[in-house]
Amino acid sequence: MIKVYEERYSNGRLRLRISDKNADGEVLSEKWYSNGQMSERSNWKNGGLDGLYEGWYKNGRLKVRENYKNNKWDGLAEWWHENGQKWFNVNYKNGLLDGPFEEWHDNGNLR
């Protein structure tokens, strides 16, 4: 049985939804800004981040996309400036930096 917990802003819009994905302790957490725009979506397992984490700016543009395994960064992490330009890319393995760190200015030029 899937359980769902929700909270709402005073304007009636959804603020938070937490859904059990299955009986294995997997949970999907979703948050919204008061304007109705999603602010973040994350996957949890046994109380820690596990899987894809995504965050958005209030203007709707993607802010962050990261992967977690057992509450540690694992895989590609990408961030964007609020204007939509890429901010940085980095790879992690078991919570540790694994490979080059690439960073861009908000005008799109590589730092």
Side-chain angles (χ1 to χ4, degrees):
M1 176 189 224
I2 295 177
K3 297 177 188 172
V4 177
Y5 170 81
E6 292 184 345
E7 291 180 6
R8 296 189 176 272
Y9 288 102
S10 58
N11 65 9
R13 289 191 173 168
L14 202 55
R15 185 178 88 76
L16 171 69
R17 178 187 298 137
I18 299 172
S19 309
D20 287 347
K21 291 167 79 175
N22 57 41
D24 293 336
E26 293 183 15
V27 174
L28 174 64
S29 173
E30 299 169 295
K31 296 179 182 178
W32 288 265
Y33 293 108
S34 59
N35 67 2
Q37 170 61 46
M38 183 168 275
S39 65
E40 62 182 65
R41 180 184 305 134
S42 55
N43 292 280
W44 296 73
K45 187 171 184 178
N46 300 321
L49 285 166
D50 197 89
L52 183 62
Y53 171 90
E54 295 175 298
W56 291 267
Y57 290 104
K58 210 170 194 175
N59 65 13
R61 289 194 171 137
L62 190 60
K63 179 180 190 177
V64 57
R65 183 181 294 136
E66 301 173 324
N67 292 285
Y68 288 85
K69 188 173 183 179
N70 298 321
N71 209 34
K72 294 180 182 176
W73 283 310
D74 196 75
L76 180 63
E78 301 174 282
W79 283 71
W80 289 265
H81 292 281
E82 194 166 358
N83 67 4
Q85 292 288 337
K86 182 68 72 107
W87 187 353
F88 68 82
N89 281 348
V90 62
N91 277 291
Y92 290 96
K93 187 171 185 176
N94 199 29
L96 302 174
L97 189 61
D98 183 44
F101 179 93
E102 298 175 296
E103 186 175 8
W104 292 265
H105 294 280
D106 60 1
N107 66 5
N109 291 331
L110 197 57
R111 285 186 184 223

